[in-house]
């Protein structure tokens, strides 16, 4: 196994990590990524297999747990009740209850409101160049989450601020200031949601918080802390992914050109899948080995951590012809952007719906849309999204 050195905060890597992935993949499925001090999986076969292998999981093995830093207590309290960081049987119980409330019918019911939201946002576009990331890509998912949860849309700026500060904990550029900001955001977000949950217990509404409470009262129970953890996970994971997916997709279409045929009802699904494959919003998802495992020429010991590189897997030429070419007409699906297996993203149907609605409306309403300046990516690895997307549409 080779040892690779590549800083995830190096400016050249931040702007385009794919050449590094390609070089690594040519030398084998697994390599030691020295900067993270862990084995990383670069091939589609390795990522695909390990996402589904129950000998690996998200929850930290008991013997590796360390005393938590006191200043991180509010943030870690949220993580402790998050479905994302749990394994069976706790994960099974949480996911079953969440899926009972977060149904495909409820997601599809957001469609008309999302269409009206997109048109309303476009109506407010200025005549001069502006940042589409803030004006459109960010607003669609965060307002959708507000509506889904049943919280006032005028609290969207607070939700965004809390989300950005908490998600920054997973970025390679994390600092001690990041940690204090995330802890403060977690504390404020928790206080806000705790009050809303108590309000919904006495005044049920047609929203996800009410449905989660109802699921809690039908046999199995969700504690208030678990309800809070679920709501924060849906916002943080769902919002960040969709913002970056929309921004990355629009960037690609504006830089490489687009066809109106791609936005047709029978083609939009393929366009969304190709955007997610070609330039996904999340590039790394980690797992712990729970036992000794021999895979792809490497022996994992219990407690070893492995980085599954979703962005590298999506461009593996062994499963995708000419993977460096953006082609919305391709049909084979090799998309690992929402993970797979037990931890497949619960919000994937909502993210896809938002993209399927937001992209056709944008390009239909703004056929002259063009870049006003070269877009740049943020130093936020293992997320992959733009700093801003400056455009003009007149």
């Amino acid at each position: 196994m080779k040892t690779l050195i590549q800083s995830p905060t190096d400016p050249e890597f931040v702007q385009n990590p794919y050449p590094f992935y390609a070089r690594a993949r040519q030398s084998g499925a697994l390599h030691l990524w020295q900067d993270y001090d862990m084995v990383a999986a670069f091939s589609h076969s390795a990522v695909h297999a390990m996402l589904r292998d129950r000998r690996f999981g998200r929850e930290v093995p008991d013997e590796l747990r360390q005393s938590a830093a006191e200043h991180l207590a509010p943030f870690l309290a949220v993580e402790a009740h998050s479905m994302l960081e749990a394994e069976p049987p706790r994960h099974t119980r949480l996911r079953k209850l969440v899926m009972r409330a977060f149904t495909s019918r409820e997601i599809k019911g957001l469609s008309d409101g999302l269409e009206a939201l997109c048109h309303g946002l476009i109506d407010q576009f200025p005549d001069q160049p502006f940042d589409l990331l803030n004006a459109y890509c960010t607003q669609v998912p965060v307002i959708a989450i507000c509506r889904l949860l049943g919280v006032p849309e005028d609290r969207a700026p607070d939700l965004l601020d809390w989300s950005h500060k908490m998600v920054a904990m997973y970025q390679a550029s994390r600092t001690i200031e990041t940690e204090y900001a995330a802890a403060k955001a977690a504390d404020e977000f928790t206080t806000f949601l705790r009050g809303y949950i108590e309000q919904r217990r006495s005044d049920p509404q047609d929203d996800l918080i009410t449905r989660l409470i109802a699921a809690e009262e039908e046999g199995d129970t969700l504690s208030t802390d678990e309800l809070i953890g679920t709501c924060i996970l849906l916002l943080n994971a769902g919002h960040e992914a969709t913002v970056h997916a929309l921004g990355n997709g629009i960037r690609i279409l504006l830089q490489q050109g687009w066809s109106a045929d791609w936005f047709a009802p029978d083609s939009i699904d393929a366009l969304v899948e190709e955007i997610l494959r070609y330039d996904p919003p999340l590039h790394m998802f980690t797992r712990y080995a729970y036992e000794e495992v021999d895979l792809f020429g490497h022996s994992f010991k219990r407690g070893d951590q492995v980085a599954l590189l979703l962005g590298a897997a999506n461009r593996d030429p062994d499963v995708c012809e000419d993977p460096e070419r953006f082609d919305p007409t391709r049909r084979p699906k090799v998309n690992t952007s929402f993970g797979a297996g037990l931890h497949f993203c619960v919000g994937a149907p909502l993210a896809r719906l938002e993209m399927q609605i937001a992209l056709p409306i944008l390009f239909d309403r703004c056929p002259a849309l063009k870049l006003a300046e070269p877009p740049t990516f943020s130093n936020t690895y293992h997320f992959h999204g733009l700093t801003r997307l400056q455009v003009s549409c007149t």
Side-chain angles (χ1 to χ4, degrees):
M1 178 186 295
K2 284 189 174 181
T3 296
L4 305 179
I5 300 173
Q6 174 60 68
S7 168
T9 61
D10 174 73
E12 185 175 345
F13 175 84
V14 167
Q15 296 309 310
N16 186 9
Y18 296 105
F20 168 66
Y21 296 158
R23 292 191 300 271
R25 203 172 43 236
Q26 288 172 359
S27 301
L30 303 179
H31 300 291
L32 177 65
W33 192 344
Q34 181 172 295
D35 302 77
Y36 279 101
D37 192 27
M38 72 174 79
V39 172
F42 290 85
S43 74
H44 183 271
S45 58
V47 171
H48 180 85
M50 297 173 78
L51 281 170
R52 291 165 171 78
D53 195 325
R54 296 304 307 128
R55 295 173 294 180
F56 295 85
R58 288 284 299 173
E59 201 162 3
V60 182
D62 290 340
E63 66 272 22
L64 294 184
R65 294 184 185 277
Q66 299 177 350
S67 298
E70 185 175 346
H71 70 282
L72 282 175
F75 175 84
L76 296 175
V78 172
E79 273 208 332
H81 296 95
S82 171
M83 181 169 58
L84 181 63
E85 307 301 333
E87 292 297 319
R90 190 163 65 96
H91 178 275
T92 305
R93 170 179 161 272
L94 286 171
R95 189 167 183 118
K96 180 180 69 174
L97 289 168
V98 171
M99 295 306 294
R100 191 180 297 169
F102 194 49
T103 65
S104 58
R105 181 177 65 84
E106 302 296 343
I107 293 170
K108 289 179 181 177
L110 296 171
S111 295
D112 290 345
L114 283 171
E115 291 178 5
L117 170 63
C118 291
H119 283 292
L121 292 170
I122 292 170
D123 288 341
Q124 299 175 46
F125 285 177
D127 293 334
Q128 66 271 18
F130 65 100
D131 182 7
L132 190 68
L133 206 64
N134 286 332
Y136 194 71
C137 302
T138 296
Q139 300 305 316
V140 172
V142 74
I143 293 177
I145 290 290
C146 285
R147 293 175 178 178
L148 183 69
L149 293 177
V151 303
E153 292 179 23
D154 61 9
R155 296 304 301 267
D158 292 322
L159 299 184
L160 275 175
D161 183 58
W162 294 330
S163 175
H164 289 324
K165 288 174 178 175
M166 293 182 71
V167 169
M169 286 289 287
Y170 306 105
Q171 298 168 3
S173 54
R174 166 178 166 177
T175 65
I176 187 66
E177 289 76 20
T178 304
E179 295 179 357
Y180 277 103
K184 184 174 184 291
D187 184 55
E188 292 173 353
F189 204 169
T190 297
T191 299
F192 169 74
L193 285 172
R194 194 177 300 278
Y196 241 86
I197 289 167
E198 291 309 311
Q199 181 180 327
R200 283 295 179 264
R201 289 188 192 278
S202 58
D203 182 24
Q205 300 291 325
D206 183 18
D207 56 42
L208 182 60
I209 290 179
T210 299
R211 290 192 293 274
L212 285 169
I213 292 171
E216 174 197 14
E217 295 169 349
E218 295 172 358
D220 281 333
T221 60
L222 278 175
S223 68
T224 297
D225 286 336
E226 288 169 340
L227 287 167
I228 291 170
T230 297
C231 292
I232 290 178
L233 173 62
L234 288 173
L235 174 72
N236 290 357
H239 161 260
E240 292 288 337
T242 309
V243 171
H244 295 327
L246 278 172
N248 293 354
I250 294 167
R251 174 196 68 83
I252 296 165
L253 295 171
L254 294 182
Q255 285 184 327
Q256 301 192 17
W258 52 276
S259 167
D261 293 341
W262 296 349
F263 304 107
D266 60 350
S267 302
I268 185 61
D269 289 3
L271 172 62
V272 168
E273 291 306 307
E274 180 67 350
I275 288 171
L276 291 168
R277 180 202 72 82
Y278 186 78
D279 206 18
L282 176 67
H283 277 216
M284 179 193 291
F285 204 39
T286 57
R287 291 284 198 275
Y288 289 96
Y290 291 150
E291 59 185 79
E292 291 189 4
V293 183
D294 290 329
L295 279 177
F296 299 96
H298 180 72
S299 294
F300 291 93
K301 296 181 176 58
R302 176 175 167 82
D304 285 352
Q305 198 171 14
V306 58
L308 307 181
L309 300 181
L310 310 180
N314 283 355
R315 293 201 186 188
D316 189 335
D318 286 346
V319 292
C320 182
E321 184 178 356
D322 196 7
E324 303 298 327
R325 178 170 58 91
F326 181 75
D327 180 11
T329 66
R330 73 170 82 237
R331 294 299 174 180
K333 292 184 178 180
V334 297
N335 181 11
T336 64
S337 300
F338 290 117
L342 186 70
H343 286 284
F344 180 77
C345 178
V346 69
L350 177 58
R352 285 187 167 109
L353 178 68
E354 291 168 347
M355 295 179 70
Q356 289 161 6
I357 290 173
L359 289 170
I361 290 176
L362 175 67
F363 282 87
D364 178 65
R365 290 282 308 274
C366 304
L369 191 70
K370 62 181 180 181
L371 293 171
E373 64 180 44
T376 58
F377 286 93
S378 301
N379 181 17
T380 55
Y381 196 82
H382 42 83
F383 296 99
H384 185 64
L386 298 170
T387 302
R388 64 178 184 169
L389 186 57
Q390 201 75 2
V391 300
S392 63
C393 58
T394 57

